[in-house]
Every structure is written in structure tokens, then in C-alpha cells.
């Protein structure tokens, strides 16, 4: 009986450790670009120092800051001709890096081993009628030319990310 209990305890411990490793991998893999494990892309809002995927705002808050983080986790890979395009529901009105063309921010280059955080000033496309707890998705698409020793001419990569703003109407909004 003691031996059986020890075997069950050992097996349970192994599965617990294996499960926690899988969760860690899944959390890290969320920002990686499929097929390009050395490149990652994420978007988020900031609440203090915390990066969050969803925030709540009053409809009076016209300008928001959305962040896009793009990184190259390698000593030989790089990205060129980077475009961050905001789809639907919001307009880009400012950025701290690159240039704005329409609803797209363009960057020239991200070097090997570098991470770039792009701050996007965005404005919602709000209708005249606001309902309680409106959710606006900020759908962002990244496109870039990925270069390394195996692809010196570069190959096009694409990735998407989504962040959400939950708008709360104020008393004067109908």
C-alpha cells in the first residue's frame, strides 16, 4: 500500500511539473510569430507599469495610448520595412517612432537582439449613440521583411494582435 501511494505521488508530481512547463511555453508562444520563433509582436495598453490587453475608459477620453512591442531575439535576424496597421474602430493620430501614413506606422529597421516599443496615440471612431459597456477592438496587423543568413533577400512576414477598450458612457451621453 505504501509503495502504491509513493508511485501515485511521484506520478502526480511529474504531471504537475510537466503541466506548469506547458503553461509557461504557451504564455511565451503567444507573442511569437508562427514560423519565426525569434520574432515577437504584442500590443497592449498601460495601467501604471502594467501591460494589459483590455482597459476601461470613459467616452470623454478621446485620445488613448496603445503600445506595440516588436522584438528580434537573435544575433543574426533583423526586420526591415516594418508596418504597423490599425484596422477598424480607431485612427492613429500620433506616434513616438516612425512615420504615420493613413492608419499605418512605418519603421525602417529593427536590428538583431533589439526590442522596439512603439507608442500609438489612437482615437476611437465613436458613433453619436453610445450604449453601456461598448467594447471596441483594436486590431493591429504587423508586416515586415524578415532577413537572416538563410533569407538574405528577406521574406514577408505578417502577424496580428488585438487589444480591447471597454467604453463607459457618462451621464451627458445619450
Amino acid at each position: 500500500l505504501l509503495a502504491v501511494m509513493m508511485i501515485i505521488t511521484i506520478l502526480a508530481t511529474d504531471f504537475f511539473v510537466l503541466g506548469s512547463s506547458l503553461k509557461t511555453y504557451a504564455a511565451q508562444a503567444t507573442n511569437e510569430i508562427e514560423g519565426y520563433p525569434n520574432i515577437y509582436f504584442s500590443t497592449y495598453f498601460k495601467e501604471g507599469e502594467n501591460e494589459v490587453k483590455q482597459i476601461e475608459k470613459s467616452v470623454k477620453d478621446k485620445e488613448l495610448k496603445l503600445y506595440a512591442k516588436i522584438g528580434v531575439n537573435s544575433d543574426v535576424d533583423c526586420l526591415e520595412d516594418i508596418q504597423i496597421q490599425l484596422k477598424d474602430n480607431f485612427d492613429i493620430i500620433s506616434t513616438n517612432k516612425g512615420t504615420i501614413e493613413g492608419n499605418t506606422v512605418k519603421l525602417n529597421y529593427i536590428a538583431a537582439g533589439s526590442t522596439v516599443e512603439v507608442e500609438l496615440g489612437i482615437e476611437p471612431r465613436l458613433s453619436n449613440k453610445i450604449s453601456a459597456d461598448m467594447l471596441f477592438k483594436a486590431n493591429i496587423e504587423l508586416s515586415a521583411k524578415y532577413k537572416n543568413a538563410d533569407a538574405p533577400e528577406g521574406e514577408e512576414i505578417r502577424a496580428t494582435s488585438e487589444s480591447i477598450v471597454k467604453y463607459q458612457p457618462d451621464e451627458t451621453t445619450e
Side-chain angles (χ1 to χ4, degrees):
L1 181 64
L2 182 61
V4 172
M5 288 179 62
M6 289 178 60
I7 290 172
I8 290 172
T9 304
I10 292 170
L11 287 175
T13 305
D14 285 346
F15 286 124
F16 176 77
V17 171
L18 177 63
S20 65
S21 298
L22 291 175
K23 286 179 188 173
T24 302
Y25 171 75
Q28 291 172 345
T30 325
N31 298 330
E32 291 176 359
I33 297 175
E34 188 173 335
Y36 301 89
N38 293 330
I39 308 297
Y40 64 90
F41 170 59
S42 66
T43 58
Y44 50 88
F45 298 100
K46 288 186 178 177
E47 287 185 342
E49 294 298 313
N50 298 324
E51 297 174 1
V52 296
K53 293 298 279 182
Q54 180 173 327
I55 59 168
E56 289 189 19
K57 290 290 183 180
S58 164
V59 293
K60 289 181 178 181
D61 296 333
K62 292 294 181 192
E63 186 178 339
L64 301 169
K65 299 292 184 195
L66 175 68
Y67 297 85
K69 189 180 288 186
I70 308 161
V72 181
N73 285 337
S74 145
D75 294 333
V76 294
D77 303 334
C78 70
L79 295 176
E80 291 182 354
D81 303 325
I82 302 112
Q83 294 187 28
I84 304 165
Q85 184 178 19
L86 186 55
K87 309 260 188 181
D88 311 321
N89 298 327
F90 293 92
D91 292 315
I92 298 174
I93 56 173
S94 65
T95 185
N96 66 337
K97 293 187 176 30
T99 58
I100 301 172
E101 291 182 22
N103 228 18
T104 303
V105 171
K106 295 185 174 191
L107 305 171
N108 293 328
Y109 185 78
I110 298 177
S114 298
T115 299
V116 173
E117 182 181 68
V118 181
E119 180 183 275
L120 304 171
I122 63 172
E123 235 176 24
R125 296 178 189 159
L126 294 174
S127 65
N128 291 337
K129 199 125 172 115
I130 306 297
S131 62
D133 298 332
M134 282 184 70
L135 291 179
F136 274 63
K137 292 181 182 177
N139 295 309
I140 299 91
E141 180 178 280
L142 170 75
S143 61
K145 190 177 284 187
Y146 169 77
K147 290 187 171 186
N148 69 9
D150 296 330
E153 306 83 38
E155 47 186 90
E156 290 295 318
I157 63 169
R158 292 193 179 284
T160 58
S161 183
E162 180 180 272
S163 295
I164 297 173
V165 180
K166 183 176 180 182
Y167 279 103
Q168 303 294 325
D170 61 69
E171 296 78 39
T172 60
T173 307
E174 295 185 11

